[in-house]
Amino acid sequence: MSSLERIERIKESGGWLERYRHDSASCRCPMTFSIYLPPQAEQGPVPAVYWLSGLTCTDDNFRTKAGAQRYAAELGLALVIPDTSPRGEGVPDVPERYDLGQGAGFYVNATQAPWSEHYHMYDYVTRELPALVEAHFPLVPGLKSISGHSMGGHGALICALKNPGAYRSVSAFAPICHPTVCGWGEGCFGAYLGDDREAWKAYDATELVAAGAAPIPLLIDHGTDDEFLPDQLYPQDLETACRARDFPLTLRMQAGYDHSYHFIASFIGEHLAYHAAALK
C-alpha cells in the first residue's frame, strides 16, 4: 500500500479539509482524493460518507460547491471524496468528449484496451481507497455509507448493491439509474466493457435490483427540471424494478430543480442526516 502525500490542508467548520495524492495499485497511476475530518475526529472515531462525483468532475467540485462540510461537522461525519477517473500522461483519454475517458470513469473495471490498464474505478472506490483511508486515518474506521451525483449517483448505487453489508446506507442525486439503455452508459460501457451487453448489467442499478440484489434502502432525489431526466437518467425504470421486488426505494421528485450543484446544495443536509442516522 502506497504512502500518502498531503498536498492541501484547510480549516473548515471546526474540522480539517485535506487533499492527498498517492500511487494507486488499481488505476496504475497517481490518484488524488480529499477527506474532511470533522471536529469530533479530535475526540474519537467518526464514521465516513464516501461521495462519488459526476462526469467532468474532480474531487474539487463537491468539496467547494455542495456546502457539505458544515453539515458533516454538525453530524460528526468524515467525508471521503475521490476523483472520478485515473488521470495523467499515459492514461487514455478522448479530449474532444466529456463523457468518455478522463473525468468519466463510470465506476467500472474496464476490460477492453486501451482502457483496461488504468480504468478500474470500481476496485479503487470499493477496495483500495477504503483500505487506504482506514490504514492512514485510524479515527475513520470501516463504518461507512455512500452517496453521489449523476454518474457518481450511478456509482454509489452499484457499489452498495454489489457489496451487501459494506455500506450502512446509500443515497444519490440525479443518478443514471439504467445506464445500459441510455446514451452516456452505452457509450462508456461499450468502450470500457466491450460489446457483450449482458456483461454491462453487472454495473447497472436497475438490472442489479431486478436480478436479486440484497435489499438496502435507496434514497434518490431527482429535479423535475433536470435537462437530462428524459433521455439519460431513467428513474422510472429503477422504480419499476424496485416495485416488482418490494425493494425499499424513496424516490423524491424535487419540483423545479435542475442537474446542477445548486440542486445538490439544497438537499445535501438531508442526505447527510439520513446517513448519520444509519451510521449510529
Side-chain angles (χ1 to χ4, degrees):
M1 184 180 297
S2 63
S3 60
L4 297 181
E5 175 193 2
R6 190 171 70 193
I7 55 178
E8 191 174 39
R9 190 171 193 248
I10 304 169
K11 186 80 170 183
E12 184 172 359
S13 297
W16 292 96
L17 178 63
E18 301 180 346
R19 179 181 256 174
Y20 289 88
R21 182 185 296 117
H22 71 103
D23 291 326
S24 168
S26 300
C27 297
R28 298 181 183 176
C29 68
M31 292 292 288
T32 301
F33 71 93
S34 290
I35 184 168
Y36 177 69
L37 301 170
Q40 294 86 341
E42 296 182 359
Q43 307 299 324
V46 294
V49 175
Y50 283 67
W51 173 269
L52 307 184
S53 294
L55 287 167
T56 75
C57 291
T58 69
D59 60 305
D60 204 34
N61 295 77
F62 179 72
R63 68 187 204 139
T64 59
K65 296 180 179 180
Q69 288 87 290
R70 175 168 63 89
Y71 296 107
E74 295 172 359
L75 296 165
L77 296 173
L79 302 174
V80 182
I81 312 160
D83 201 348
T84 55
S85 78
R87 297 181 191 270
E89 292 186 15
V91 175
D93 193 19
V94 186
E96 66 274 17
R97 289 184 59 176
Y98 74 94
D99 58 346
L100 182 67
Q102 296 186 31
F106 243 87
Y107 304 101
V108 304
N109 288 338
T111 59
Q112 304 299 302
W115 313 100
S116 54
E117 182 176 356
H118 297 283
Y119 282 74
H120 294 272
M121 288 301 295
Y122 176 77
D123 278 351
Y124 179 74
V125 166
T126 60
R127 295 178 176 83
E128 183 177 3
L129 183 58
L132 195 67
V133 168
E134 291 156 27
H136 287 272
F137 301 91
L139 293 179
V140 185
L143 191 62
K144 61 187 182 293
S145 294
I146 193 165
S147 186
H149 170 234
S150 193
M151 177 186 72
H154 140 79
L157 294 176
I158 64 167
C159 288
L161 292 169
K162 290 168 67 67
N163 294 277
Y167 304 95
R168 290 292 182 92
S169 53
V170 57
S171 72
F173 290 84
I176 304 168
C177 294
H178 203 178
T180 58
V181 301
C182 78
W184 282 341
E186 289 178 323
C188 284
F189 284 10
Y192 297 152
L193 303 175
D195 296 332
D196 182 3
R197 286 178 172 261
E198 285 300 309
W200 299 4
K201 293 180 180 180
Y203 296 105
D204 184 312
T206 296
E207 299 294 340
L208 289 169
V209 169
I216 180 174
L218 309 178
L219 171 62
I220 295 175
D221 277 339
H222 279 276
T224 60
D225 286 10
D226 188 325
E227 63 270 36
F228 302 112
L229 184 61
D231 301 321
Q232 300 286 5
L233 305 182
Y234 291 97
Q236 68 275 14
D237 291 6
L238 180 59
E239 186 176 30
T240 297
C242 287
R243 188 181 301 116
R245 287 196 53 215
D246 198 24
F247 199 101
L249 167 66
T250 300
L251 176 61
R252 309 191 304 187
M253 303 303 298
Q254 304 288 5
Y257 287 92
D258 60 14
H259 198 75
S260 73
Y261 265 86
H262 299 289
F263 169 47
I264 297 170
S266 298
F267 298 100
I268 190 63
E270 294 180 22
H271 280 240
L272 291 181
Y274 171 78
H275 294 302
L279 288 162
K280 285 184 177 178

